[in-house]
Amino acid sequence: MKFSGTKDYVAGEDLTTAVNAAITLERPLLVKGEPGTGKTELALQIASSLGLRMLEWNVKSTTKAQQGLYEYDAVSRLRDSQLGDKKVEDIRNYIKKGKLWEAFETDEKVVLLIDEIDKADIEFPNDLLQELDKMEFYCYELDETVKAKNRPIVIITSNNEKELPDAFLRRCFFHYISFPEADVLEKIVDVHYPGIKQRLVREALTQFYEVRETPGLKKKPSTSEALDWIRLLVADDVEPETLREKATNALPKLHGALLKNEQDVHLFERLAFMARRQGS
């Protein structure tokens, strides 16, 4: 079972090597990188490439590790018992299975995505150590151990908002998705917009990297924002020459797709003002 990328996802050799190493070691693949570099999409493409079903667990700041295993609704059971409902006789009616339980009980191998693990409390990764390592957990309400029938391929993403515990990192295979070079990003654009004008793409990417490298920028635009921007340029039928002329004023055309906070917009407005003063 080897991952080699798909026609819809440009994966470099280092990334495919990391994915296949994690599959071989049967360890979770921890993927870090800037937001918008395709971490979540990677799990979808691994599942597509290998012909597997994918389960997705989206982690939030309020998410607890227990929710990935199961949740026992004792309140509903108490209420039903007061109403004389016969389903209270089977406690399984009040157990909601989490994504890990779903992945463990499937008869076929699946891809399990734990998305943005760094959003949760710092103890969240530690609370999943044994479950991800041994691929089993104990359900106290049922007095039984739930074991994985087939060890899932686990992909864990992180935007690096907080450090993850060493004990958790030790159990993962790690890969950092670096921001793509211009030639790789051009291939990504071709995948999403086949047949697009190459002169426009080259001019747009030249300006895009100039924006990313601007000193003092608070948030650098990501791959997904580059794709959105180029899509807008195509929709507006912008010519490369027009784009180049606009660049001389420092503030990019349709800059709202690239600059996502007022500080960065003000930075480029100041640069535009200085460029006009020097040109006058």
Side-chain angles (χ1 to χ4, degrees), residues 256-269:
L258 299 177
L259 307 176
K260 297 303 177 72
N261 60 67
E262 63 276 15
Q263 294 97 321
D264 289 342
V265 173
H266 292 161
L267 171 63
F268 274 83
E269 287 175 342

Side-chain angles (χ1 to χ4, degrees), residues 1-60:
M1 187 172 284
K2 293 285 186 181
F3 173 70
S4 56
T6 70
K7 62 181 180 62
D8 298 322
Y9 190 87
V10 179
E13 184 179 353
D14 56 342
L15 179 55
T16 57
T17 298
V19 171
N20 291 319
I23 293 174
T24 300
L25 292 173
E26 294 188 323
R27 288 188 179 276
L29 174 63
L30 174 61
V31 185
K32 289 187 178 183
E34 293 181 31
T37 50
K39 300 184 296 297
T40 302
E41 184 65 21
L42 172 63
L44 292 167
Q45 296 302 323
I46 291 173
S48 174
S49 173
L50 302 179
L52 303 176
R53 185 163 64 95
M54 194 187 87
L55 299 175
E56 186 171 356
W57 184 13
N58 295 302
V59 177
K60 301 178 181 179

Side-chain angles (χ1 to χ4, degrees), residues 192-204:
H192 285 80
Y193 310 121
I196 191 174
K197 298 176 183 178
Q198 291 304 307
R199 287 174 54 244
L200 175 61
V201 172
R202 284 192 289 270
E203 182 61 37

Side-chain angles (χ1 to χ4, degrees), residues 153-269:
I153 297 172
V154 181
I155 309 298
I156 303 172
T157 70
S158 169
N159 288 327
N160 230 7
E161 292 183 5
K162 62 169 69 80
E163 290 296 322
L164 298 174
D166 289 344
F168 178 80
L169 295 174
R170 184 172 60 82
R171 289 166 168 80
C172 299
F173 191 92
F174 172 76
H175 182 75
Y176 184 86
I177 298 182
S178 301
F179 195 84
E181 299 292 335
D183 58 334
V184 177
L185 187 50
E186 188 170 346
K187 292 179 182 177
I188 294 173
V189 172
D190 289 340
V191 165
H192 285 80
Y193 310 121
I196 191 174
K197 298 176 183 178
Q198 291 304 307
R199 287 174 54 244
L200 175 61
V201 172
R202 284 192 289 270
E203 182 61 37
L205 291 184
T206 297
Q207 288 191 34
F208 173 77
Y209 279 97
E210 288 175 354
V211 170
R212 273 189 60 87
E213 294 164 8
T214 300
L217 199 64
K218 183 177 180 180
K219 182 195 176 302
K220 295 182 178 181
S222 67
T223 304
S224 62
E225 287 159 343
L227 293 172
D228 287 345
W229 185 51
I230 291 174
R231 179 183 177 184
L232 289 174
L233 296 177
V234 172
D236 278 12
D237 198 22
V238 176
E239 292 296 328
E241 293 77 16
T242 305
L243 196 60
R244 195 175 304 117
E245 291 171 6
K246 186 68 176 177
T248 60
N249 293 324
L251 196 64
K253 183 177 179 62
L254 297 167
H255 61 271
L258 299 177
L259 307 176
K260 297 303 177 72
N261 60 67
E262 63 276 15
Q263 294 97 321
D264 289 342
V265 173
H266 292 161
L267 171 63
F268 274 83
E269 287 175 342

Side-chain angles (χ1 to χ4, degrees), residues 117-127 162-165:
I117 194 172
D118 52 326
K119 279 188 175 180
D121 184 85
I122 189 62
E123 291 303 320
F124 181 91
N126 279 334
D127 291 341
K162 62 169 69 80
E163 290 296 322
L164 298 174

Side-chain angles (χ1 to χ4, degrees), residues 41-105:
E41 184 65 21
L42 172 63
L44 292 167
Q45 296 302 323
I46 291 173
S48 174
S49 173
L50 302 179
L52 303 176
R53 185 163 64 95
M54 194 187 87
L55 299 175
E56 186 171 356
W57 184 13
N58 295 302
V59 177
K60 301 178 181 179
S61 59
T62 55
T63 303
K64 302 299 180 184
Q66 181 64 32
Q67 293 172 301
L69 307 179
Y70 68 92
E71 293 180 274
Y72 171 53
D73 192 350
V75 175
S76 292
R77 192 181 187 203
L78 175 60
R79 183 184 64 244
D80 289 345
S81 67
Q82 293 170 339
L83 296 174
D85 195 324
K86 288 187 177 182
K87 74 176 185 179
V88 298
E89 297 173 4
D90 188 354
I91 196 172
R92 293 178 186 273
N93 292 323
Y94 303 93
I95 290 180
K96 181 182 178 181
K97 297 176 181 179
K99 293 300 180 181
L100 264 74
W101 192 327
E102 289 182 37
F104 287 1
E105 73 175 0

